[in-house]
Amino acid sequence: MIGAGMMGKAHSIGFRAMPMCFWPAPAIPRLVAISDATEKLAQEACERLGFESWVFPWRKLVKMKDVEIVDVVTPNDTHKDMCIEAAEAEKHIYCEKPLAMNGKDAREMFEAAEKAGVKHCVDFNYRMTPAVMLAKRLIQEGRVGKVYHFRAKYLQDFAVDASFPLVWRFRRAISGSGALGDIGSHIIDLARFLVGEFEKVAVMTETFIEERPLPESSGSTPAKGLVDVDDAVCILARLEGGTLGVLEASRFAYGRKNFQMFEINGSKGSIYFNYERMNELKFYSAEDPEHVQGYKTILTGPPHPYGKAWWPIPGLNVGFDATVTNMIYEIANGIVNNKQIIPNFYDGWKCCQIMDAILKSAEEGAWITLRTR
Amino acid sequence: MIGAGMMGKAHSIGFRAMPMCFWPAPAIPRLVAISDATEKLAQEACERLGFESWVFPWRKLVKMKDVEIVDVVTPNDTHKDMCIEAAEAEKHIYCEKPLAMNGKDAREMFEAAEKAGVKHCVDFNYRMTPAVMLAKRLIQEGRVGKVYHFRAKYLQDFAVDASFPLVWRFRRAISGSGALGDIGSHIIDLARFLVGEFEKVAVMTETFIEERPLPESSGSTPAKGLVDVDDAVCILARLEGGTLGVLEASRFAYGRKNFQMFEINGSKGSIYFNYERMNELKFYSAEDPEHVQGYKTILTGPPHPYGKAWWPIPGLNVGFDATVTNMIYEIANGIVNNKQIIPNFYDGWKCCQIMDAILKSAEEGAWITLRTR
Amino acid sequence: MIGAGMMGKAHSIGFRAMPMCFWPAPAIPRLVAISDATEKLAQEACERLGFESWVFPWRKLVKMKDVEIVDVVTPNDTHKDMCIEAAEAEKHIYCEKPLAMNGKDAREMFEAAEKAGVKHCVDFNYRMTPAVMLAKRLIQEGRVGKVYHFRAKYLQDFAVDASFPLVWRFRRAISGSGALGDIGSHIIDLARFLVGEFEKVAVMTETFIEERPLPESSGSTPAKGLVDVDDAVCILARLEGGTLGVLEASRFAYGRKNFQMFEINGSKGSIYFNYERMNELKFYSAEDPEHVQGYKTILTGPPHPYGKAWWPIPGLNVGFDATVTNMIYEIANGIVNNKQIIPNFYDGWKCCQIMDAILKSAEEGAWITLRTR
Amino acid sequence: MIGAGMMGKAHSIGFRAMPMCFWPAPAIPRLVAISDATEKLAQEACERLGFESWVFPWRKLVKMKDVEIVDVVTPNDTHKDMCIEAAEAEKHIYCEKPLAMNGKDAREMFEAAEKAGVKHCVDFNYRMTPAVMLAKRLIQEGRVGKVYHFRAKYLQDFAVDASFPLVWRFRRAISGSGALGDIGSHIIDLARFLVGEFEKVAVMTETFIEERPLPESSGSTPAKGLVDVDDAVCILARLEGGTLGVLEASRFAYGRKNFQMFEINGSKGSIYFNYERMNELKFYSAEDPEHVQGYKTILTGPPHPYGKAWWPIPGLNVGFDATVTNMIYEIANGIVNNKQIIPNFYDGWKCCQIMDAILKSAEEGAWITLRTR
């Protein structure tokens, strides 16, 4: 593992929990080594997260013999080098999203991994929410029909506070974009996963607060730096098959903490999901008798995807870490049984390509057509 | 009253209920005369809705001496003539939305009413929902702060069924537009009412089902006619003051029956409203102590706008007709006390103007800037 | 009509709205005369509610030739005399709940009305909520199966404020009981309507605030009087057919405004209703495929009881007055077509009988078995 | 650890996750040894849950030198012997609820642990839900005031299916009681935790399905055995301080999966919690300005109890395992810093004592007064 922040913690819990939940497990992970931005951070992370060893710098880790899979949980600007070197060292790769700073880099990473013949996974972990997978299943079962509308929002509120510091997520050189890449990428991925490819987009973005205190700065008049990414992005999209897509990502929506939602309206029914209630899926079927039609609130559990791995009845709830645990199961399964992992670097690349078009549309004030592969 | 459909019924209940609720009432309405599309319909409506007399055609009604106010509840293409003749006859006017087929006609109507010196009201009745008025009050009290986001949807599902007939709402010559004018106009009005004017728009529209059975037709292979209006419209808007607006209206959202919602995110708080739960307003205040911040569900009642007119505690609920009853109170008040009624034909005109820009943006595939007055 | 308070207003709106909604109507009501506690009140009510005349005292009204039905909307202690005199004058009767101060009086009223051969209705108006009638329909269709649990609550919060005055609802001599008769009677009635008769009860009651300011009193140290009724009542009940009933009524539940809820769990499904969202019914069917089982939120409208009388799609909402309008339709229908009205004085009597047993159980601290008829 | 079922899994995840979340951790757990009902089960559990070794029978484990704490996650009838032997071997103890088969046994366990001077914890893990701890905090801050009402339900639906087998939870000899001990014990504990001790109870219980297929049996006419415990229990309770308590536990409530809810109404506000939405707490404050009073939905996260240990913003959600992880933190903290753990065997004993009174009340059909200690 390279990186030991919030996602490093989630992944570490996931590596431990996976065999306890998915038994018999395809493999029992060993936490061989961890690296981080400094020696000291790597050492502390090793103890805290229960790894066998720490190394510094990360390039050493990528080459370690006992390491079979490299888990990249670092800021966006570092993914490319790490993944390409890991691929060259013939390690399987599990990389955080967004895969890269732009579509061109992402494509290189995809091609490097493919060329090396390693398994690769991009951490669009929200796909692994049981309720999201249930949505996919209901669509595949034909319960939604032809999709007329896809609307998704990913809203947070941590950035409304003007004193929130200029962390890397607000700096284009490290993050590539703002709300778009950080959270918007997840709903772009869900649109692709649940509905289909993007054909064209019209976009507006805004940076509501243009300067923020530097993280290292303090006192009553802290030094400030420029926010050069989007605080919010609003997207109209034509998706393949004629679906109208409306997507929105913002860090400026008070009261919305991790409000990642989507709604799909089709010719036979509708689906609604809000991650803040991640153990629920809402489903409306126009095939029910007319007088008992209504949005159902389905509590996910054993009858649903990944449900048997967890608790014996619905309503006991899984948390954020479960999305990662489920992904690690898919990765282990892919490696052990030599199957393609989904989502993989192709998905990571396509998402970056769409984000390039989104930024271009915002800049040019015009509809942008996506190039097909 | 001209017209006796669903809105005629709602208005008739409202005329009767107004003084019972708002007492002492500015005036006690007399239901002097009603007209409709045929003599027979007018006669039946007179008995059903409890009017004193019926007349045919509507031109007679506009000139009746005892009539002080003409209530126009007919399809969109008839509003212009009726309103202009009513104004010329020096009657006050209460007209259904959208005010006209386009901005140009709406402006003529506004100017005719102003010239005649009569009071005029356009029936954006949803403003009169107590929860919507409470939203307005919270904004005016500064509880939301600077508005970053306005998002609104008005979703229905009656048109998903391909056998639903080609009623006038699907025919441009009568309705002017589809989901846009029928339901989208309400959320455009709410954006103006709660946030501010539109500066520019980017739009996509779609007609999902292009042919429908003619209403007069029947049997297993009914004759069909062309749907030449939008089934759905998705709008990006820049609103004055820097607010990002995202609006969507559709008749193709299964499970959404009369889902007129808006959410406003500002620098101090957020507001959420869904008309399907019209007796509730959700409000989030970032000024609450951090550990008790959360979206509140406020049940409207006596402490809220129009609340004292209705029931003695919240939770007893008002229905759709109450939005009209409250509007009729405003109209009576405006006439008796010689005050401008809000919303009036100016609001009706501005809404039509914005809709013209929306249709143009959809046609041209480009951002359209709104002309200021 | 005798009485002109909140329920008088609701009934007056209902009499006007009924034919507009239910067309062709069984009858078009005339509001012949109204009486109230004083001449002045009666006169003001006549103008406000749109009656043809006022009379005083009420005994005159009961004997008026043009009056066909007497609507009793007065405090509880007056119902008995008014109803019995109305029956003796051969008027049909529509009486507020609870029907009487106790089971014995209620029985006399029932027997007087039956003897006179008039139609009689007790205003358990919440039965007429479309969602409640839909619950009844779902049970009758067998969608719930054998009923294991019935739980109901009716919670309000207006009495938590210790300065709320000692109005008649807090005085046993006028009201008979406190939360029990005022609001508990409605959920007792719903238990009987939806499940079946009561077999035995165990109860606890409490009066949280024992003295309140007299209504006529004022100033910083107002004169106080004794609250001699229950502020809250909690009931365990064995219902016929083996259902476990748990009921609770309280005026001391902050945040619950008119929270009249019930939940029914049966061998095939469950139903949940909360009047604060009176246009919704929740329904769970164990007969759905396992992976799409969940509580549905059904928005009531045209496909549901009374739905066609109101608005053309669900989600437009009816309010409190609609429960009365629907009841008035049932009354008109019963009278014109000579059919028994439901609920009638028999239901009023049974409810009073059960309340007698509840008060006895609270007093004796023991289970009380209900006498069968 | 003794036992390796669902709770064994949850505890194992918790032991691993605790230091990753709570850093610097009071201790880093070693999973020294596990035992289970057979050698084979113990061996499999060792591998699955990542323990260092397995032993059989459990008595060996209790005496192992490296074992500092014994985690008892076995059926109810085994707790007493295991805990007393563990105490005698001077091991700290973490025991599943209900602590024992009755109050007498529970008291012996409490006294044995106290005598041995070991730390002891009873696994009322739901207290450790961040939202529940937040409820406790709000009460302690005085935001609820004097408590008028406590109502709690714990509803599940797995037993409605008559073919569900006669597992140990349906057999009194192993479980002591049915829904009461299995799930009711949790809400009894929450009443004690959040409000106060029980003073007296009136109860009804029911066994809806009296025979079930034996687990080992199969085929179309499986052998059946008798259910000799309660399927459902309904409780009226007088709690100290004058609070009215209404509690209900049932396995026969279709649609309710793990519906553990409570609502507290006080003189200043109200609190509502439903475990199916475990990451939310609802709170109503009568101290807010009147026109913005409403139930808030608070999403738990960093500003709330245990929040900083988990994810950086609310809305990312914790799952069932987090309740255990948090408890393990409390245990480690209690042991390392020599502080009493809460909840402990005293709480386990009091709960069993109340359950004895509940069963007695159901049997005798009378109010039962709780003996004070």
Side-chain angles (χ1 to χ4, degrees), chain A residues 6 9-10 12-13 16-17 19-21 23 28 44 47-49 126 156 158 255 257-258 275-278 280 282 297 299 309-321, chain D residues 6 9-10 12-13 16-17 19-21 23 28 44 47-49 126 156 158 255 257-258 275-278 280 282 297 299 309-321:
Chain A
M6 169 216 169
K9 176 168 90 177
S12 298
I13 297 175
R16 289 296 189 194
M20 304 193 204
C21 294
W23 191 257
I28 298 182
E44 184 265 10
E47 191 182 9
R48 174 166 54 94
L49 301 178
Y126 290 111
Q156 298 183 332
F158 68 89
K257 303 302 177 181
N258 199 52
Y275 179 84
E276 289 176 349
R277 290 177 172 170
M278 69 179 283
E280 299 179 9
K282 290 187 193 287
T297 301
L299 299 184
W310 290 90
W311 313 118
I313 55 170
L316 281 163
N317 290 296
V318 297
F320 178 73
D321 45 297
Chain D
M6 168 219 173
K9 177 169 88 179
S12 298
I13 296 175
R16 290 296 189 195
M20 303 193 205
C21 295
W23 190 256
I28 298 182
E44 183 265 9
E47 192 183 8
R48 173 166 53 93
L49 301 178
Y126 289 112
Q156 299 183 331
F158 68 89
K257 301 303 178 182
N258 199 50
Y275 180 85
E276 288 175 351
R277 289 176 173 171
M278 68 179 285
E280 299 179 8
K282 290 186 193 286
T297 301
L299 299 184
W310 290 88
W311 314 118
I313 54 170
L316 281 162
N317 289 297
V318 297
F320 178 73
D321 45 298

Side-chain angles (χ1 to χ4, degrees), chain C residues 91-334:
Chain C
K91 308 301 189 190
H92 305 296
I93 315 170
Y94 179 20
C95 184
E96 262 312 303
K97 47 50 63 182
L99 187 58
M101 300 290 279
N102 53 60
K104 184 175 157 294
D105 285 1
R107 181 176 188 163
E108 284 180 48
M109 293 160 72
F110 166 63
E111 290 174 347
E114 284 288 291
K115 188 177 158 197
V118 298
K119 300 296 172 196
H120 41 93
C121 174
V122 61
D123 195 23
F124 286 126
N125 62 307
Y126 289 112
R127 288 194 186 195
M128 300 296 137
T129 311
V132 174
M133 275 292 172
L134 175 58
K136 179 75 177 176
R137 178 176 164 193
L138 298 181
I139 292 167
Q140 285 173 332
E141 288 176 352
R143 292 179 185 270
V144 172
K146 175 178 162 56
V147 177
Y148 295 127
H149 290 284
F150 175 82
R151 64 185 72 84
K153 286 192 278 285
Y154 199 151
L155 305 180
Q156 298 183 332
D157 66 3
F158 67 90
V160 187
D161 180 358
S163 68
F164 193 95
L166 190 76
V167 297
W168 69 268
R169 290 172 198 273
F170 291 95
R171 296 173 60 193
R172 181 178 298 237
I174 306 178
S175 61
S177 66
L180 174 60
D182 193 18
I183 53 179
S185 58
H186 280 296
I187 52 176
I188 291 166
D189 180 64
L190 291 179
R192 290 185 63 250
F193 179 53
L194 297 168
V195 181
E197 294 294 348
F198 283 64
E199 293 180 348
K200 57 181 192 166
V201 292
V203 178
M204 64 181 173
T205 60
E206 189 62 70
T207 306
F208 294 112
I209 292 180
E210 299 191 344
E211 283 191 331
R212 292 183 178 274
L214 297 176
E216 56 274 21
S217 171
S218 65
S220 58
T221 54
K224 289 192 170 183
L226 201 68
V227 177
D228 56 0
V229 297
D230 54 290
D231 284 333
V233 54
C234 306
I235 305 161
L236 300 184
R238 295 273 183 179
L239 304 178
E240 65 178 340
T243 302
L244 300 184
V246 179
L247 294 89
E248 194 176 350
S250 175
R251 299 163 169 170
F252 273 72
Y254 257 139
R256 303 306 185 179
K257 302 303 179 184
N258 199 50
F259 187 72
Q260 183 181 179
M261 68 72 66
F262 62 80
E263 177 169 329
I264 297 172
N265 306 129
S267 59
K268 294 165 106 183
S270 290
I271 288 175
Y272 174 93
F273 172 74
N274 162 14
Y275 179 84
E276 288 176 349
R277 291 176 172 171
M278 69 178 283
N279 291 278
E280 299 180 8
L281 188 73
K282 291 188 191 287
F283 170 55
Y284 179 96
S285 175
E287 297 177 313
D288 287 336
E290 194 185 13
H291 71 299
V292 291
Q293 288 184 14
Y295 260 102
K296 268 176 198 167
T297 300
I298 302 170
L299 299 183
T300 54
H304 306 115
Y306 302 117
K308 286 184 180 51
W310 291 90
W311 313 119
I313 55 170
L316 282 163
N317 290 296
V318 297
F320 178 73
D321 45 297
T323 63
V324 175
T325 306
N326 297 343
M327 184 76 96
I328 288 169
Y329 167 74
E330 295 295 345
I331 292 169
N333 201 36

Side-chain angles (χ1 to χ4, degrees), chain B residues 200-214:
Chain B
K200 56 182 193 166
V201 293
V203 178
M204 65 181 173
T205 61
E206 189 62 71
T207 305
F208 295 112
I209 293 180
E210 300 191 344
E211 282 192 331
R212 291 184 178 275
L214 298 175

